């Protein structure tokens, strides 16, 4: 599959999403994520943040409206081509979704190995990143032996290791202290500077205010986007 490097990362037009016969959890969503953009996603629990992320990482298709990812209409893209789109997306899940039978090292290395990166490069990049997030002494540990904060750092490292074009993070600082939280957000900031488009769902108003990126606010399934307040948006 050819992915247009100049196209919008994501574009939603009048999108609605419902589960089964229930009411719409997202209504009339119009949203564009341009290459290299950075947005926070905020709103009360149950407002639809996770549902929007699921549309972005292709866990669901919309009930109505159009969703384009990397220039491709997801409704008409053949199913056998969707994995190529997914490989351009890194996801930090709130429940981690680590593979319990793999070590910390192998969980983080997985995206590189799927992409068939040379093993010496895998070793170098994974060791460097795990050291940066403070897990250099836990590389051989399996997820059941790790704390919640450690699992969170493994999940973030796995999501960013392959430098995805789009990174989606659901409460990435939810299980770490403020010091580590800001360090992890610095890692995500650096990835953004390299060109990755970022969407971070969070309840942490300190981070939203301090970093000052544009905010996607969800309320009752509807979106409102406010511009950033940081130096880059002044």
């Amino acid at each position: 599959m050819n992915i247009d490097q100049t196209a919008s990362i994501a574009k939603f037009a009048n999108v609605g999403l419902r589960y089964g016969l229930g009411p719409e959890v997202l209504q009339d969503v119009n949203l564009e994520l341009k290459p290299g953009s950075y947005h926070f996603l905020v709103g009360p629990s149950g407002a639809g943040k996770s549902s929007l992320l699921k549309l972005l990482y292709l866990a669901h298709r919309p009930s109505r409206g159009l969703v384009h990812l990397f220039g491709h209409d997801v409704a008409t893209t053949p199913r056998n081509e969707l994995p190529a789109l997914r490989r351009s997306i890194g996801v930090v899940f709130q429940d981690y979704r680590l593979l319990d039978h793999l070590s910390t090292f192998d969980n983080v290395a997985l995206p590189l190995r799927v992409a068939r990166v040379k093993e010496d490069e895998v070793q170098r990049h994974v060791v460097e990143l795990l050291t940066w997030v403070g897990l250099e002494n836990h590389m051989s540990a399996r997820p059941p032996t790790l704390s919640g904060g450690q699992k969170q750092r493994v999940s973030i490292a796995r999501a960013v290791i392959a430098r995805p074009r789009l990174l989606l993070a659901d409460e990435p600082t939810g299980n770490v202290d403020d010091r580590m939280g800001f360090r992890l957000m610095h890692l995500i900031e650096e990835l953004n500077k390299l060109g990755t488009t970022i969407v971070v769902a969070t309840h942490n108003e300190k981070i939203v205010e301090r970093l000052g990126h544009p905010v996607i606010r969800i309320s009752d399934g509807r979106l409102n986007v406010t511009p950033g307040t940081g130096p880059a948006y002044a």
Side-chain angles (χ1 to χ4, degrees):
M1 166 184 281
N2 292 322
I3 293 181
D4 185 350
Q5 302 294 320
T6 63
S8 294
I9 297 297
K11 196 167 187 178
F12 287 46
N14 301 316
V15 167
L17 177 67
R18 61 164 38 95
Y19 298 108
L21 299 176
E24 284 193 332
V25 295
L26 292 175
Q27 305 172 48
D28 301 319
V29 172
N30 293 284
L31 176 69
E32 182 175 10
L33 301 177
K34 294 183 178 179
S37 61
Y38 191 133
H39 289 81
F40 285 113
L41 176 60
V42 303
S45 296
K49 298 191 299 296
S50 292
S51 293
L52 180 63
L53 292 178
K54 287 176 181 176
L55 288 175
L56 285 166
Y57 64 76
L58 297 171
H60 291 306
R61 294 195 184 196
S63 305
R64 62 181 176 89
L66 296 175
V67 173
H68 285 80
L69 286 176
F70 312 113
H72 292 265
D73 181 350
V74 301
T76 59
T77 299
R79 286 192 176 275
N80 66 338
E81 294 186 8
L82 292 178
L85 294 181
R86 289 192 181 101
R87 283 194 291 272
S88 295
I89 304 170
V91 186
V92 179
F93 295 101
Q94 203 167 358
D95 57 357
Y96 318 124
R97 302 199 191 178
L98 303 174
L99 299 177
D100 285 349
H101 67 286
L102 294 181
S103 67
T104 293
F105 184 98
D106 289 334
N107 265 285
V108 175
L110 193 59
L112 297 180
R113 287 172 172 157
V114 168
R116 299 184 179 181
V117 173
K118 292 180 179 178
E119 191 60 26
D120 61 335
E121 292 185 35
V122 171
Q123 296 286 328
R124 179 165 55 86
H125 290 308
V126 174
V127 168
E128 181 181 286
L129 184 53
L130 286 175
T131 300
W132 201 91
V133 299
L135 292 172
E136 63 273 19
N137 295 323
H138 300 276
M139 292 191 191
S140 60
R142 287 186 167 81
T145 69
L146 300 175
S147 69
Q150 289 168 335
K151 290 177 184 177
Q152 186 76 302
R153 284 179 272 164
V154 177
S155 178
I156 291 173
R158 181 184 60 185
V160 306
I161 189 71
R163 293 189 180 179
R165 294 192 67 212
L166 172 62
L167 176 68
L168 308 171
D170 194 359
E171 297 291 346
T173 62
N175 291 291
V176 297
D177 61 28
D178 283 348
R179 184 187 64 81
M180 181 54 70
F182 277 107
R183 184 165 189 177
L184 293 174
M185 292 308 297
H186 176 67
L187 174 63
I188 293 173
E189 289 274 310
E190 290 302 308
L191 196 65
N192 177 243
K193 290 176 183 176
L194 292 172
T196 295
T197 301
I198 309 287
V199 178
V200 175
T202 183
H203 286 104
N204 192 324
E205 291 293 339
K206 286 184 188 176
I207 286 176
V208 174
E209 291 173 10
R210 180 166 167 178
L211 298 181
H213 293 297
V215 175
I216 303 167
R217 194 171 300 276
I218 298 185
S219 179
D220 298 324
R222 295 183 180 275
L223 265 62
N224 179 50
V225 182
T226 56
T229 59
Y233 307 98

